[in-house]
Amino acid sequence: MPNELLVNVTSHETRAAFLENGVLSELFIERESEKGSAGNIYKGKVQRVLPGMNAAFVEIGQDKAGFLYASDFSEEMKNLDTEDEDEELLPHPDPLLLQEREVTGEASPQKKQKRSYRWGGREPIQNLLKAGQDILVQITREPISTKGARITSHISLPGRFLVYMPTWGRLGVSKKIASYDERRRLRDILRKNRPAEGGFIVRTAAEGVSEEMIEQDVQFLCKLWQEILGKKEKSKAPCLIQSELDISFRALRDLYAVGVDRICVDNVEEHSKLKQFVERFMPENLSGLQLYQEEKPIFDHFGIEPEINRALGKKVWLKSGGYLIIEQTEALTTIDVNTGKFTGKKNLEETILKINLEAVQEIAYQVKIRNIGGIIILDLIDMEKRGNREKVYADLSEALKKDRAKTSITKISEIGLIEMTRKRSRESLKGVLGSECPYCDGKGYIKSESTVVYDIFRQARRELDHWEAKKMVVKMHPKVLNLMNQLERQGIEEFERKSGKKLEFKACESFHVEQFEFVVAGG
């Protein structure tokens, strides 16, 4: 089946879904009122320097100041040239180019002598920055929950085949380009065309591309950088200098390396814009660009909406009858694997192995679609045989290779636990499409009616000494009152006999299930 990029555009929201062999593989959502800022470049003003954290807060014009670590400040990198080195010196900060984040220098049959470099952060932050100072920064991680954006002064400008790093003095090639001869060819082209300052990462999409097209990418990115520097000089901090591309263009640019056979857009204006973009940067894809004009909504037609709803659910069913329970919190995410309806055919160990193998494939898919970041704890079903644990671990490792975000996993413990981390660069799908439940106040549960009934009795006993009136009215939710009248009549009579007070109950439709109130009778 072809790889397809589907773009759904409305006046308030743009959604892009990438289908790989007919299966939803990537989902991007951008709302006009909540437009993402990852990749945006700002002229910022240092607000506060924090020596104890070796970091600084930088005002960039958002609600919260950006957070800059000393290691993300590029002052010490300006004149550094390491093009002949083979060591990865700097992780690529652009969250939309995570598949390119691990780069290597020119491979060689002989092992090269490596040198270690210490980047910005060698000096204490107070020696590098001071309050009120203007600096050029780029957002590497969106503001998440209560945290401001993570920023860097290691600016990266992504093109179709290259990423230009103006403050990075090195040439790198994506590790996904396996051929030594091809890596050498690409590096030779860049040596001939690189500017006096800065370095480049060669993206996977550059494999086999002509020298002329790479030269064009170099020229375009260098011109863009000069325009940014010009805007910086004319602008007053804090202000936005350069915005990242809109989501549909971004998805198309960054999925090019994977291969997009068809681009289907349901909006005439967006189709026209994408056509101009494709004609300029990827003319070979022009025949695959289509305007979707069917009556049925595009995401319904291609079965995307059910997958989105599935990715928001707490329980995810597996084809065998097992299921996952996914619990997301700000600190970490837990994923619990359960056998559910699956009972197997031969023996318990084989049943468990089959469920776990199916589960790790679904887990890799779910963390990618939901864009879950940070620490993730996987609670697999316990396996007695070491060989089975190794097989499940290998399958999970292989499945995670399809994820463009950087991930790492620990070996499976004897009780079936895996600790996993995934690079957090933007808000999760739950964070974008959901909000904290106002009824449960984000707890994920509410007290049962019977628990509230007993809470009422306990509160009544506490307040006895403060009651002057002989009769009190207790207001509560109708469900709680119904249970009180059905099951606790004996308890009410016992309380009234021992206390010498009378209780009257009243239903209040507007009350929360957990809410109740004592008032003087007649009040």
Side-chain angles (χ1 to χ4, degrees):
M1 296 183 72
N3 291 342
E4 300 170 301
L5 179 65
L6 312 177
V7 182
N8 168 230
V9 181
T10 64
S11 60
H12 56 276
E13 180 184 64
T14 299
R15 302 184 298 173
F18 179 57
L19 273 62
E20 200 167 4
N21 297 319
V23 178
L24 179 63
S25 177
E26 301 258 9
L27 181 64
F28 309 91
I29 299 175
E30 187 171 78
R31 291 170 176 167
E32 284 299 315
S33 58
E34 305 166 3
K35 231 171 183 180
S37 56
N40 285 0
I41 298 172
Y42 297 82
K43 183 177 182 179
K45 187 177 289 291
V46 178
Q47 187 183 76
R48 190 153 52 105
V49 176
L50 308 170
M53 297 183 69
N54 210 24
F57 283 113
V58 180
E59 178 61 44
I60 56 175
Q62 294 192 341
D63 292 339
K64 297 181 180 69
F67 192 74
L68 176 71
Y69 282 109
S71 58
D72 287 325
F73 183 65
S74 64
E75 184 66 24
E76 295 184 21
M77 300 166 57
K78 283 184 177 177
N79 299 313
L80 192 59
D81 185 350
T82 63
E83 96 173 33
D84 293 324
E85 292 307 313
D86 201 32
E87 183 178 6
E88 181 182 352
L89 300 176
L90 179 68
H92 186 268
D94 187 344
L96 295 168
L97 298 172
L98 290 171
Q99 75 271 38
E100 317 294 347
R101 61 177 293 115
E102 290 188 344
V103 296
T104 181
E106 184 178 3
S108 171
Q110 292 81 31
K111 189 173 182 180
K112 292 186 179 180
Q113 181 80 23
K114 291 188 178 181
R115 290 179 291 170
S116 295
Y117 290 91
R118 298 180 65 189
W119 296 88
R122 177 190 295 172
E123 292 285 334
I125 190 70
Q126 61 270 30
N127 293 353
L128 298 172
L129 295 170
K130 60 182 179 181
Q133 180 179 341
D134 290 350
I135 58 171
L136 195 67
V137 295
Q138 185 173 38
I139 291 183
T140 61
R141 189 189 69 188
E142 302 269 9
I144 297 175
S145 186
T146 58
K147 300 173 183 176
R150 173 79 180 270
I151 59 176
T152 180
S153 66
H154 307 317
I155 306 297
S156 67
L157 302 176
R160 183 181 173 190
F161 305 114
L162 308 170
V163 180
Y164 180 35
M165 312 285 285
T167 61
W168 194 47
R170 182 171 176 264
L171 303 180
V173 180
S174 168
K175 284 184 177 178
K176 292 186 178 180
I177 299 177
S179 167
Y180 165 72
D181 290 337
E182 178 63 6
R183 286 201 304 272
R184 183 167 186 173
R185 181 186 77 89
L186 292 167
R187 287 174 64 87
D188 287 343
I189 292 172
L190 284 177
R191 285 194 187 100
K192 286 164 51 180
N193 294 278
R194 71 183 296 187
E197 293 184 356
F200 287 91
I201 295 172
V202 180
R203 302 185 64 187
T204 310
E207 188 169 12
V209 168
S210 69
E211 181 172 348
E212 181 183 3
M213 295 184 75
I214 292 175
E215 288 174 5
Q216 290 174 359
D217 226 20
V218 171
Q219 292 168 9
F220 169 75
L221 293 171
C222 290
K223 182 179 178 182
L224 178 60
W225 176 239
Q226 292 306 313
E227 290 175 358
I228 289 170
L229 291 178
K231 290 179 185 177
K232 176 192 172 187
E233 293 304 315
K234 297 174 184 177
S235 304
K236 183 178 180 180
C239 68
L240 174 65
I241 297 294
Q242 177 77 18
S243 294
E244 176 59 294
L245 292 172
D246 289 341
I247 194 165
S248 52
F249 297 89
R250 206 160 62 227
L252 184 57
R253 178 195 69 195
D254 296 322
L255 291 170
Y256 180 83
V258 182
V260 179
D261 302 306
R262 185 165 71 139
I263 308 153
C264 210
V265 190
D266 67 356
N267 179 275
V268 174
E269 186 178 344
E270 192 73 9
H271 177 268
S272 178
K273 291 178 182 177
L274 278 171
K275 185 178 180 182
Q276 293 176 22
F277 183 85
V278 172
E279 283 176 338
R280 181 179 178 186
F281 294 106
M282 45 188 74
E284 68 278 12
N285 286 87
L286 191 58
S287 61
L289 179 61
Q290 299 177 8
L291 177 64
Y292 180 82
Q293 296 177 296
E294 301 294 328
E295 190 173 326
K296 192 175 185 180
I298 186 170
F299 271 31
D300 288 347
H301 179 82
F302 287 92
I304 305 300
E305 296 293 1
E307 282 299 305
I308 295 175
N309 291 329
R310 184 168 175 258
L312 289 172
K314 180 178 176 180
K315 179 182 282 190
V316 177
W317 286 99
L318 304 174
K319 291 180 181 179
S320 63
Y323 63 89
L324 309 177
I325 295 293
I326 303 176
E327 297 271 9
Q328 286 181 249
T329 68
E330 187 175 344
L332 59 84
T333 298
T334 60
I335 302 178
D336 185 31
V337 182
N338 297 273
T339 56
K341 303 172 185 176
F342 183 67
T343 55
K345 293 182 179 179
K346 292 184 179 180
N347 58 61
L348 179 61
E349 183 73 7
E350 184 182 274
T351 300
I352 291 172
L353 175 61
K354 184 172 182 180
I355 285 285
N356 282 338
L357 288 173
E358 186 181 4
V360 295
Q361 296 294 326
E362 187 64 33
I363 287 169
Y365 175 77
Q366 288 294 325
V367 297
K368 183 179 177 184
I369 291 298
R370 295 174 186 237
N371 196 31
I372 297 173
I375 300 172
I376 306 168
I377 303 298
L378 312 182
D379 187 2
L380 305 176
I381 305 170
D382 297 355
M383 293 170 285
E384 292 184 1
K385 295 182 179 178
R386 182 177 178 181
N388 288 344
R389 292 198 295 270
E390 290 175 350
K391 181 171 177 55
V392 171
Y393 175 84
D395 275 27
L396 177 60
S397 299
E398 188 63 30
L400 289 173
K401 289 180 181 179
K402 300 175 184 176
D403 196 336
R404 294 194 298 141
K406 186 177 182 180
T407 59
S408 64
I409 56 174
T410 63
K411 290 287 187 180
I412 304 177
S413 71
E414 292 187 0
I415 58 173
L417 292 180
I418 294 179
E419 182 180 311
M420 170 179 166
T421 61
R422 184 173 186 271
K423 176 70 176 178
R424 191 201 304 265
S425 59
R426 55 193 161 110
E427 191 69 86
S428 67
L429 185 66
K430 177 184 174 183
V432 172
L433 299 182
S435 62
E436 189 174 277
C437 174
Y439 204 81
C440 71
D441 198 27
K443 299 193 299 287
Y445 69 91
I446 57 172
K447 291 182 179 180
S448 66
E449 288 92 340
S450 57
T451 299
V452 178
V453 166
Y454 300 134
D455 283 348
I456 290 171
F457 279 125
R458 280 189 286 271
Q459 188 63 27
R461 294 187 185 98
R462 292 189 196 104
E463 296 193 0
L464 269 177
D465 295 338
H466 306 291
W467 289 5
E468 295 181 1
K470 289 291 184 179
K471 185 177 181 181
M472 295 293 288
V473 176
V474 188
K475 297 179 180 180
M476 64 192 75
H477 190 277
K479 288 184 178 179
V480 178
L481 177 57
N482 184 53
L483 186 65
M484 181 78 79
N485 290 332
Q486 283 184 2
L487 304 178
E488 295 303 326
R489 178 51 54 189
Q490 184 177 348
I492 295 168
E493 292 172 355
E494 182 180 349
F495 175 84
E496 290 179 337
R497 185 177 66 253
K498 289 183 177 180
S499 65
K501 309 282 186 179
K502 296 291 290 182
L503 291 176
E504 182 179 317
F505 303 102
K506 182 178 178 181
C508 287
E509 293 282 353
S510 62
F511 272 30
H512 187 283
V513 167
E514 297 179 355
Q515 184 182 355
F516 56 86
E517 182 181 342
F518 289 84
V519 296
V520 177

